[in-house]
Amino acid sequence: MKEEQLSKISEQRREAILKSAIIEFSQKPYKEASTDQITKQCSISKGLLFHYFKSKKDLYLVCLEQALMRLMTKTKETKGEAFYEIIFSAMDHKFNQCLVFPEEMRMVNMAAREMSKDVFEEKSKLLMRYILKGKEESAKTMTRAVSTLKLREPQNPKVTAALLVYVNAVMNHYLELYKEQPDDFFAKADEIKKELKAYLDCMLYGIVGEE
């Protein structure tokens, strides 16, 4: 379903359906998620649900895209003038989005592990599209952060790319570690940022020049 189709449903009903469906899809694999439960929670008939959405698959993909849009809103101008202030400002924005939209965060986490052939191809393409958007945002943040450092080779474009790869690798380590308990990942945000700084310090000492 396209965004213009969603707009044809009244805002109150649209939000009720999406909220109920996202909660259901955040708690169960696609095959186990129940449209009966969704319609019960938002107080509509199954016939009306499928009048708005062609199928359970269509509903799932709309919900997944809505969840991704809410979680991956464009980062506002990062605060701070120092390297870590800029990086952690961007991280805090992402953490806060997950705190504001916890069910959406859980659905995306569930979708990343979804293996049902009914939705696997489409959901993988959707996730990849937003992953690429996220990487673009992260690259901009890292470029600004690196510009605050006194580098041994200021004109070396590989520095930003290397740091971004390094940060992503560390973050992926934690995402993998907490993939079964995503709430714990965000509950330990301060601890993770502290450890990320320690990892980055190890790398920075090799590229930052003397004051």
Side-chain angles (χ1 to χ4, degrees), residues 88-110:
F88 291 148
S89 174
M91 286 182 64
D92 285 341
H93 172 78
K94 293 178 181 179
F95 284 142
N96 287 337
Q97 287 301 107
C98 291
L99 292 174
V100 172
F101 299 110
E103 300 300 339
E104 285 82 351
M105 179 268 291
R106 295 185 189 103
M107 181 180 179
V108 171
N109 180 67
M110 183 72 78

Side-chain angles (χ1 to χ4, degrees), residues 75-160:
T75 306
K76 297 179 181 179
E77 183 65 24
T78 48
K79 299 177 182 179
E81 299 298 327
F83 180 78
Y84 284 117
E85 288 177 348
I86 293 169
I87 288 178
F88 291 148
S89 174
M91 286 182 64
D92 285 341
H93 172 78
K94 293 178 181 179
F95 284 142
N96 287 337
Q97 287 301 107
C98 291
L99 292 174
V100 172
F101 299 110
E103 300 300 339
E104 285 82 351
M105 179 268 291
R106 295 185 189 103
M107 181 180 179
V108 171
N109 180 67
M110 183 72 78
R113 294 178 285 140
E114 180 59 63
M115 299 303 293
S116 171
K117 63 181 181 180
D118 292 346
V119 295
F120 185 82
E121 183 177 354
E122 291 90 340
K123 71 92 181 180
S124 296
K125 288 180 180 178
L126 193 54
L127 288 172
M128 182 55 64
R129 177 149 56 89
Y130 279 87
I131 286 171
L132 292 175
K133 285 184 179 181
K135 286 184 176 180
E136 289 177 5
E137 285 294 306
S138 296
K140 291 177 183 178
T141 299
M142 185 60 72
T143 297
R144 181 166 177 250
V146 168
S147 71
T148 68
L149 297 174
K150 182 180 178 181
L151 304 177
R152 293 177 180 176
E153 299 180 53
Q155 304 304 318
N156 188 345
K158 293 182 180 180
V159 171
T160 298

Side-chain angles (χ1 to χ4, degrees), residues 167-209:
V167 170
N168 286 337
V170 175
M171 291 304 294
N172 286 337
H173 163 73
Y174 286 108
L175 289 172
E176 178 67 20
L177 191 63
Y178 293 104
K179 67 181 181 181
E180 302 292 341
Q181 298 88 26
D183 292 320
D184 289 348
F185 176 83
F186 298 100
K188 296 182 179 180
D190 289 338
E191 178 183 332
I192 290 171
K193 286 194 291 184
K194 183 178 179 180
E195 292 184 13
L196 177 60
K197 182 180 184 300
Y199 279 116
L200 276 169
D201 281 343
C202 293
M203 187 173 187
L204 287 177
Y205 288 135
I207 61 174
V208 178

Side-chain angles (χ1 to χ4, degrees), residues 9 26 73 83 120 166 177 180 211:
I9 310 174
S26 74
T73 55
F83 180 78
F120 185 82
Y166 192 70
L177 191 63
E180 302 292 341
E211 291 293 334

